[in-house]
Amino acid sequence: MAEEVDHENAYDGLLGGDDSQWAFGTDFEDPLAGVDTSLPGGVDGRDLATYCLMLADDALVMSHRLTEWCSRAPDLEEDIALANIALDLLGQSRLVLARAAAADPSVVPALPEGSPVPPEDALAFFRDDREFLNVRLVEGDNGDFGRTMARLLVFSTWRLALLERLASSRDHVLAAVAAKGVKEMTYHRDYAARWFLTLARGTDESRRRVVEGLTGIWSLHGELFVTHDVERRVADAGVGVAPGDVAAEVDVLLEQVFSASGVERPTVPPLAGVRGRTGRHGLHTEALSHLLAEMQVVARAHPRGSW
Amino acid sequence: MPMLTLVDLGVLRDVQAQDGRVVVTITPTYSGCPAVATMRDDLVHRLRDAGFDDVEVRVSLTPAWSSDWISDRGRQALAEHGLSAPGPAPTRSGPVPLSLLPVRRMLTCPRCGADDVELTSEFGPTACKALYRCVSCLEPFEHVKEI
């Protein structure tokens, strides 16, 4: 094998002549290959797909923000931790986007003929900002490490509460993704809560920053618990979870962290939507447009590209 | 972790062979585990090398993978290669409790056997590992996390 390696070619050198591993991690088959994706009774396919986009977009956009810390975190351990958490969220997002496409193929953007882009990638890279249904909490800039931990604490506490309930969904795919996601979100939440406590009980400067970070994101905290019509319908059908139902539980958990940290719950009025429309309706802050521009530019420049 | 087979890792859940056709079922370890594509490729290539041209690899998401599924042979292989094997996975009923204290595990150093070890980070080079350091022999080592 070794003598066949073309030393002028860096890829060949890496692979030792075995091209079966080329495009590692990208030339995927369907991530739901062999999984039963039939629609559970009593739920509209479009509703289920829309609900999946909400869950997937929350994870995808949060994941992208966390990856922005890569090579920039305060130390190597936190760099690795944030990348690991981002990877878990990306994995959750990919499976749920694939589930959205299977539930209603019409939600997948049309691509040029011959494009090898799989449906979950088409949904991630070829939708515009107004088609993203994530809550606005996840899309803003990271700010400093204190603000990032404050946001991750609120986000992971909320998402863990949602996934704990979603694990008993009548939709087998969502139930499975949620059961796995609970294990992951558990250590995301512990990680963020410990850092929140450490920073709040640390120096005057670390405390100032984490408190400012929490205050800075708090205007988008209320939006997490507003139940959209689609969420209401899929919850009534036993397939989804109404976020309003987890508000009390999330509140208790956050209070535990705040009181251990000696931090007062912020009193910041919620960031208004436009005529009641917010992230779940596709109405976003400018930050999402910038984020998507960076995240999507390569994929959009090469819609027929094979990665 | 090339010292582990897919069976050792507990990822291979089922193999059905009928009339020369093979259907293999795997369960990914973590949602975003990038090694799943490699596992799939390896399975297809090994089976083709063994004369099975008609191979299908299916994914089973339920039940979710647990570190308890790592075989005894796998745990021994981990230790022989300087990695610390996971203890029993946490079991719970009811809501997930919040834990504000650092994770505590009773571990021994896979190199020198000392039990005086310290956690460097709950997150390691892959999603499934935490980083430790042996206070006795001063060598760092990786611990496969309980999940």
Side-chain angles (χ1 to χ4, degrees):
Chain A
M1 188 66 90
E3 61 269 27
E4 293 167 22
V5 174
D6 173 6
H7 292 284
E8 297 304 308
N9 181 328
Y11 301 127
D12 209 33
L14 279 172
L15 300 168
D18 174 13
D19 67 357
S20 68
Q21 302 292 335
W22 181 227
F24 172 79
T26 54
D27 188 18
F28 286 147
E29 287 183 43
D30 179 4
L32 299 180
V35 175
D36 178 12
T37 55
S38 57
L39 273 186
V43 66
D44 176 60
R46 182 79 185 192
D47 272 356
L48 178 56
T50 305
Y51 178 62
C52 287
L53 293 179
M54 295 170 174
L55 284 176
D57 290 347
D58 290 341
L60 177 62
V61 175
M62 187 76 239
S63 171
H64 186 87
R65 280 295 180 215
L66 292 174
T67 58
E68 290 177 346
W69 276 105
C70 214
S71 82
R72 291 170 167 78
D75 60 40
L76 187 57
E77 283 76 16
E78 300 337 304
D79 210 288
I80 292 169
L82 292 169
N84 267 291
I85 292 172
L87 182 65
D88 288 339
L89 292 171
L90 191 63
Q92 292 175 20
S93 173
R94 176 166 180 242
L95 289 165
V96 181
L97 286 176
R99 207 300 167 249
D104 183 355
S106 75
V107 299
V108 181
L111 290 177
E113 202 167 324
S115 169
V117 174
E120 66 271 22
D121 280 19
L123 284 165
F125 297 119
F126 293 86
R127 277 181 301 150
D128 293 331
D129 52 354
R130 286 175 184 229
E131 296 165 291
F132 271 74
L133 303 179
N134 57 279
V135 291
R136 290 180 297 176
L137 174 74
V138 295
E139 68 200 34
D141 293 337
N142 282 321
D144 62 11
F145 188 74
R147 185 176 172 121
T148 298
M149 286 303 113
R151 173 162 64 178
L152 188 60
L153 171 66
V154 172
F155 174 75
S156 56
T157 304
W158 172 66
R159 188 170 176 89
L160 176 54
L162 291 177
L163 295 190
E164 282 186 85
R165 284 164 178 74
L166 194 61
S168 52
S169 168
R170 284 170 57 253
D171 182 71
H172 298 307
V173 182
L174 284 182
V177 172
K180 161 82 76 187
V182 164
K183 297 185 179 200
E184 296 165 347
M185 299 311 301
T186 297
Y187 59 75
H188 299 184
R189 187 184 67 182
D190 285 348
Y191 172 81
R194 283 172 201 152
W195 262 119
F196 189 93
L197 176 68
T198 300
L199 295 172
R201 294 279 187 201
T203 64
D204 289 346
E205 177 67 3
S206 70
R207 181 179 178 80
R208 181 185 69 77
R209 288 194 183 208
V210 79
V211 170
E212 271 185 23
L214 182 69
T215 310
I217 56 123
W218 201 255
S219 66
L220 293 167
H221 154 270
E223 187 179 321
L224 302 181
F225 306 101
V226 177
T227 302
H228 185 280
D229 290 346
V230 167
E231 291 170 311
R232 170 56 57 208
R233 288 199 294 274
V234 292
D236 288 346
V239 167
V241 179
D245 293 348
V246 303
E249 180 189 322
V250 171
D251 203 57
V252 168
L253 283 157
L254 290 179
E255 196 51 52
Q256 254 180 280
V257 182
F258 295 158
S259 89
S261 307
V263 169
E264 294 281 323
R265 171 178 299 258
T267 48
V268 180
L271 184 68
V274 175
R275 294 189 208 96
R277 290 163 59 82
T278 60
R280 285 283 188 253
H281 304 86
L283 194 124
H284 295 283
T285 61
E286 188 185 352
L288 183 68
S289 313
H290 292 286
L291 182 152
L292 293 182
E294 188 171 302
M295 187 178 91
Q296 297 178 333
V297 62
V298 177
R300 287 193 178 217
H302 306 280
R304 287 191 181 84
S306 189
W307 307 99
Chain B
M1 294 185 279
M3 74 297 271
L4 296 185
T5 66
L6 293 178
V7 175
D8 290 336
L9 191 56
V11 161
L12 190 74
R13 303 309 291 163
D14 190 43
V15 180
Q16 300 280 346
Q18 202 169 17
D19 306 329
R21 174 179 167 74
V22 181
V23 178
V24 184
T25 305
I26 59 174
T27 296
T29 52
Y30 285 70
S31 300
C33 180
V36 173
T38 300
M39 293 177 188
R40 189 194 296 262
D41 284 353
D42 283 351
L43 278 169
V44 171
H45 281 93
R46 294 292 179 280
L47 284 164
R48 285 205 181 127
D49 290 348
F52 297 98
D53 287 330
D54 190 3
V55 178
E56 184 188 346
V57 179
R58 289 186 185 165
V59 174
S60 170
L61 298 175
T62 330
W65 182 83
S66 162
S67 51
D68 286 349
W69 294 356
I70 299 178
S71 68
D72 289 341
R73 208 203 72 88
R75 286 163 198 272
Q76 203 176 331
L78 286 172
E80 282 165 9
H81 287 79
L83 277 88
S84 160
T91 52
R92 56 167 185 89
S93 54
V96 183
L98 173 72
S99 165
L100 287 173
L101 295 172
V103 181
R104 296 232 183 274
R105 300 182 181 92
M106 299 296 287
L107 299 185
T108 53
C109 170
R111 293 180 199 280
C112 75
D115 53 12
D116 192 8
V117 300
E118 62 184 17
L119 178 68
T120 318
S121 173
E122 258 307 281
F123 295 86
T126 64
C128 52
K129 285 179 265 175
L131 296 177
Y132 274 82
R133 193 176 77 104
C134 175
V135 177
S136 180
C137 74
L138 304 179
E139 289 293 328
F141 66 92
E142 295 171 359
H143 172 72
V144 179
K145 286 192 271 195
E146 298 76 14
I147 189 168

